[in-house]
Amino acid sequence: MFPQRLDSPHAYAIAKAMMDGFNRHYQLFRTESARAKHRFETADWHGQQRAQRERIEFYDLRVKECVRRLDKEFNAGEQPMDVWHQVKLHYIGLLVDHHQPELAETFFNSVTTKILHRTHFHNDFIFVRPAVSTEYIENEEPAARPTYRAYYPSPDTLHETLVRIVDNFQLQREFEDLDRDTRHVLAALQQRLGPHTKLRANFQVQVLSGLFYRNKGAYLVGKVINGFNELAFALPILHGSAGRLVIDAALFGEDDLQMLFSFARAYFMVDMEIPSAYVQFLRSLMPRKPRAELYNALGLAKQGKTLFYRDFLHHLRYSSDRFRIAPGIKGMVMLVFDLPSFPFVFKLIKDYYPPPKDTTREQIKSKYLLVKQHDRVGRMADTLEYSEVAFPRERFEDGLIAEIEKFAPSQLEISDRDGDGQTEVIIKHLYIERRMIPLNIYLQEAFDAGLHDARARQQMERSVVEYGNAIKDLVAANIFPGDMLWKNFGVTRNGKVVFYDYDEIEYLTDCQFRRVPAARNEEDEMSGEVWYAVGPRDVFPETFAPFLLGNDAVRDVFMRHHADLLDADFWQSHKERIQAGHVYDVFPYDSERRFSSRTAPPS
């Protein structure tokens, strides 16, 4: 309902207070992101990790602050609905010429839903669709930094331009040999473009004006435009062995950039005045990447959730298949369902867990929060967390409803809340993850095809090697996955193996890795029971083999590449290095792409 008159004395003041709350949030968010440059320059890796964790909490803290202010100053929860219609209209007016209008709309939704205390909200009270366009937003202030910079080199000045591009970021740490590194980049670029490529009249290099900081790296992101062709690129800048900076590699094309911005990696820190302009530029590099995932990658997870939900509602409108129990082995803790036409799975925590599981709903939620805040090193799927999600009842298979009623009745409500005769399924709390092929199913496909088939054998070997690599990357990130069964890992579109079952996850440094003690006598040796003392955090890596390596072909590949995972010393040595303060390098590209593995660049 659109208000006929703006006659409330409080409506504008409430809208202004909400906008003040958002502006404070984004100022703090941006300040913390900008500090990543100094942390990178000073090699403050632990500070970088801490800041990445803490920044995730900023949004909810600012929403709570705003709710408290509105309740205290305006008794906002008691205002009639007509006033809230007017609040929204005033807020739209405040979005005009705002540099982050889409984020401010999401903030308005978050605050409003907290204050009105309703399970569902009529579209009149929140921004179901954006009210203000994000196209062509510019900061017109003379000293404002542009979203991207454009360079127009000739064939003779291309190397000089690459040096200038890097210098313009004014990193306060010396490069080991910038001339050498940029010649590596130039050689890689010429190889990618082709030896006989003609530079057209519009040849240019466009580079986003903020570096992307994550873990121990800073990434320069841009594209080369030549005629009708555009080539996305990213240059990882790292600290070399001597402590000076190096350009470590050159990444080219959409697939490389997709890996860099993967949903299985931690969020970047980048200083952005106009985030929608960054997302628009990044979409030109990765057109298949949903905008929701790009906002997530930039650390703007709430906006990512908003866009994801809008995409989901749009998909429901234009599809007709039904939600079902997800294929694969059912878990003891999570109930998983999916919509075949939609590339995500929906996970809800069961109400009870059979032995030997000993956990609680709050403990499981804390594990998922740990993953959200931690460096996922490309090996743990990001999750979107929602509460009170409504689905059309006719889109659910009866078997799925029965499954939820049996295992998670506290999370299910079926009702006609809007009074329009349309029955809805309301899920009280769930997680949403990108769908992957469960690794056990992926392996079984290779076995079914027969390992005498070269392609099937390659699929098996590659996935077993990737599985071990995934565990080792998690170890480097101070993560012990807990339940390492094949079914708890998935295979992505590009063949990467990613972990996605978090209810038993632990910090590596909280575990004690031990060898199985020698049997005291023949009775111990023959016993089917554990006869030695086991602490709550004790782990015996040599006992992994019977659960993981029952297939001889799998065992052969695993033992050739990852036998050390069955040795307690491997785990304990990594734990001790992490406890000593060491931060491992985990790269979002293959090691052979690194310039340090190549000969000197051409002059």
Side-chain angles (χ1 to χ4, degrees), residues 332-334 349-368 501-506:
M332 289 190 286
V333 168
M334 306 296 283
I349 303 172
K350 294 181 177 180
D351 286 352
Y352 58 91
Y353 326 105
K357 291 289 184 182
D358 181 17
T359 187
T360 65
R361 178 178 299 276
E362 292 307 313
Q363 286 175 336
I364 296 167
K365 291 171 72 173
S366 72
K367 303 290 187 182
Y368 275 77
D501 191 325
Y502 306 142
D503 61 276
E504 291 190 16
I505 205 168
E506 298 285 354

Side-chain angles (χ1 to χ4, degrees), residues 193-346:
L193 292 176
H196 305 295
T197 299
K198 178 178 175 59
L199 302 191
R200 302 297 177 181
N202 70 331
F203 181 75
Q204 60 185 283
V205 182
Q206 295 181 358
V207 178
L208 284 167
S209 58
L211 288 175
F212 290 68
Y213 298 96
R214 185 173 64 196
N215 306 332
K216 297 170 72 175
Y219 297 85
L220 185 158
V221 177
K223 59 184 173 182
V224 176
I225 300 175
N226 188 38
F228 300 110
N229 299 314
E230 295 189 3
L231 176 63
F233 73 90
L235 304 180
I237 302 173
L238 306 179
H239 287 240
S241 56
R244 291 180 291 173
L245 300 180
V246 297
I247 299 176
D248 192 58
L251 312 180
F252 292 112
E254 183 179 3
D255 286 344
D256 278 359
L257 271 290
Q258 289 263 21
M259 293 287 288
L260 181 61
F261 286 83
S262 168
F263 66 91
R265 295 196 177 274
Y267 308 134
F268 284 106
M269 285 198 163
V270 54
D271 181 19
M272 303 171 291
E273 169 72 15
I274 305 172
S276 60
Y278 270 69
V279 170
Q280 182 176 336
F281 189 98
L282 292 170
R283 286 290 315 272
S284 73
L285 311 182
M286 299 170 280
R288 293 177 295 170
K289 192 89 169 161
R291 286 188 305 144
E293 289 189 15
L294 290 174
Y295 274 102
N296 285 339
L298 296 174
L300 300 166
K302 296 298 182 181
Q303 185 63 22
K305 282 181 63 176
T306 295
L307 292 177
F308 176 88
Y309 194 62
R310 287 172 181 167
D311 290 343
F312 171 64
L313 293 178
H314 181 78
H315 182 86
L316 281 182
R317 179 180 293 274
Y318 287 95
S319 62
S320 58
D321 53 339
R322 306 176 79 191
F323 291 97
R324 61 176 185 176
I325 300 170
I329 300 173
K330 296 179 180 179
M332 289 190 286
V333 168
M334 306 296 283
L335 191 155
V336 185
F337 63 93
D338 71 352
L339 187 68
S341 63
F342 194 59
F344 292 84
V345 296
F346 302 79

Side-chain angles (χ1 to χ4, degrees), residues 370-537:
L370 183 157
V371 173
K372 172 71 70 174
Q373 296 176 338
H374 199 76
D375 177 10
R376 294 188 293 280
V377 295
R379 298 300 187 174
M380 292 188 288
D382 194 11
T383 56
L384 298 171
E385 184 178 5
Y386 289 89
S387 299
E388 304 290 349
V389 183
F391 303 87
R393 170 61 180 89
E394 67 270 13
R395 299 296 294 273
F396 272 67
E397 292 183 353
D398 292 340
L400 173 56
I401 293 294
E403 189 87 354
I404 299 174
E405 288 176 334
K406 179 178 180 181
F407 292 105
S410 71
Q411 299 302 298
L412 177 68
E413 180 181 338
I414 300 177
S415 67
D416 174 17
R417 291 204 172 187
D418 290 338
D420 58 4
Q422 300 296 316
T423 305
E424 290 182 319
V425 172
I426 296 100
I427 303 296
K428 302 294 183 64
H429 179 265
L430 58 76
Y431 297 100
I432 302 176
E433 290 177 1
R434 179 166 286 280
R435 181 165 55 208
M436 293 172 274
I437 304 172
L439 183 53
N440 61 308
I441 293 177
Y442 192 73
L443 282 171
Q444 190 60 51
E445 290 174 355
F447 298 145
D448 292 344
L451 296 184
H452 58 277
D453 179 82
R455 182 174 296 180
R457 185 165 190 86
Q458 183 184 37
Q459 175 173 319
M460 181 276 292
E461 291 182 352
R462 184 176 63 246
S463 57
V464 171
V465 173
E466 259 291 287
Y467 166 79
N469 289 340
I471 293 174
K472 288 178 177 177
D473 284 347
L474 292 173
V475 169
N478 192 25
I479 290 293
F480 175 61
D483 192 343
M484 290 164 46
L485 294 177
W486 305 96
K487 70 181 181 68
N488 296 326
F489 293 76
V491 182
T492 68
R493 177 181 61 84
N494 54 23
K496 294 283 285 186
V497 169
V498 173
F499 184 56
Y500 54 58
D501 191 325
Y502 306 142
D503 61 276
E504 291 190 16
I505 205 168
E506 298 285 354
Y507 287 118
L508 191 78
T509 48
D510 288 341
C511 300
Q512 183 63 37
F513 298 95
R514 298 173 51 194
R515 296 180 182 275
V516 174
R520 296 167 300 185
N521 49 50
E522 187 175 351
E523 287 75 12
D524 286 346
E525 193 168 348
M526 300 301 293
S527 173
E529 302 294 327
V530 175
W531 46 267
Y532 46 88
V534 179
R537 297 284 177 89

Side-chain angles (χ1 to χ4, degrees), residues 25-34 145 271-273:
H25 159 67
Y26 195 72
Q27 179 185 14
L28 293 171
F29 177 92
R30 190 177 174 192
T31 299
E32 193 61 73
S33 301
R145 188 176 67 180
D271 181 19
M272 303 171 291
E273 169 72 15

Side-chain angles (χ1 to χ4, degrees), residues 125-171:
F125 301 117
I126 61 174
F127 292 96
V128 176
R129 292 183 299 275
V132 177
S133 172
T134 58
E135 296 293 315
Y136 306 111
I137 298 177
E138 298 286 350
N139 187 340
E140 303 294 347
E141 298 175 7
R145 188 176 67 180
T147 296
Y148 66 89
R149 297 187 177 98
Y151 302 82
Y152 300 90
S154 67
D156 294 334
T157 62
L158 187 49
H159 174 253
E160 174 190 326
T161 300
L162 290 174
V163 173
R164 182 155 55 93
I165 288 172
V166 177
D167 279 339
N168 281 347
F169 286 100
Q170 299 180 337
L171 288 167

